[in-house]
């Protein structure tokens, strides 16, 4: 079930906006497509990213995937648990964020709600 409390991208990332902070992770669909995740390259706190830029890398037994930010901002928190346990993204994708950014700007037009995202995923099959 795709959570309704966040927005989604066509690259299968989710963003959960809480005040002026956006937590970003990958969707259930993304982690299933990747397979067993074995490594996550996290950004550094205080790194700045523009919307659309790659801010992290997820490596699985099948592929290496860039993870893109859908907001412009500064990294204010990283999920350090992923250094030792990258498989958390497989076991609980929607409750495991990769990084949080202090939002400078966000382009809502590129984001989908849960219903729109589910329809997008269904159209890819």
């Amino acid at each position: 079930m795709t959570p309704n409390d966040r927005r989604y991208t066509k690259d299968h990332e989710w963003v959960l906006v809480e005040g002026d902070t956006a937590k970003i992770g990958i969707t259930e669909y993304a982690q299933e497509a990747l397979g067993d995740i074995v490594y996550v390259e996290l950004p550094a706190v205080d790194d700045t990213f523009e919307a659309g830029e790659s801010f992290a890398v997820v490596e699985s037994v099948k592929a290496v995937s860039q993870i893109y930010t859908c907001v412009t901002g500064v990294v204010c928190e990283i999920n350090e648990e992923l250094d030792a346990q990258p498989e958390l993204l497989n076991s609980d994708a929607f409750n495991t964020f990769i990084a949080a950014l202090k939002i400078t700007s966000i382009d809502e037009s590129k984001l989908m709600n849960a219903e729109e995202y589910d329809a997008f995923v269904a159209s890819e099959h």
Side-chain angles (χ1 to χ4, degrees):
M1 176 90 180
T2 305
N4 287 317
D5 63 348
R6 60 200 74 198
R7 308 282 281 179
Y8 302 90
T9 72
K10 289 184 176 182
D11 292 317
H12 306 290
E13 288 102 14
W14 57 259
V15 57
L16 179 60
V17 176
E18 297 169 328
D20 63 354
T21 303
K23 286 186 174 174
I24 302 171
I26 62 171
T27 65
E28 190 72 27
Y29 177 86
Q31 72 81 21
E32 285 175 11
L34 285 166
D36 293 335
I37 295 170
V38 295
Y39 177 72
V40 180
E41 183 180 311
L42 297 166
V45 171
D46 294 330
D47 280 355
T48 302
F49 294 96
E50 297 288 323
E53 283 187 315
S54 171
F55 76 100
V57 176
V58 173
E59 190 173 319
S60 72
V61 293
K62 291 183 186 177
V64 175
S65 292
Q66 302 287 325
I67 307 302
Y68 300 95
T69 177
C70 50
V71 303
T72 297
V74 179
V75 176
C76 58
E77 182 182 3
I78 57 171
N79 189 345
E80 295 179 7
E81 288 183 319
L82 293 174
D83 276 337
Q85 296 177 283
E87 67 277 3
L88 289 171
L89 288 170
N90 288 121
S91 60
D92 198 0
F94 284 125
N95 289 311
T96 306
F97 75 100
I98 294 171
L101 280 73
K102 186 116 172 139
I103 301 168
T104 307
S105 68
I106 185 168
D107 183 356
E108 291 283 342
S109 71
K110 292 194 166 51
L111 299 175
M112 297 173 272
N113 64 30
E115 189 177 308
E116 292 165 334
Y117 178 72
D118 287 342
F120 171 73
V121 169
S123 75
E124 288 202 317
H125 292 291

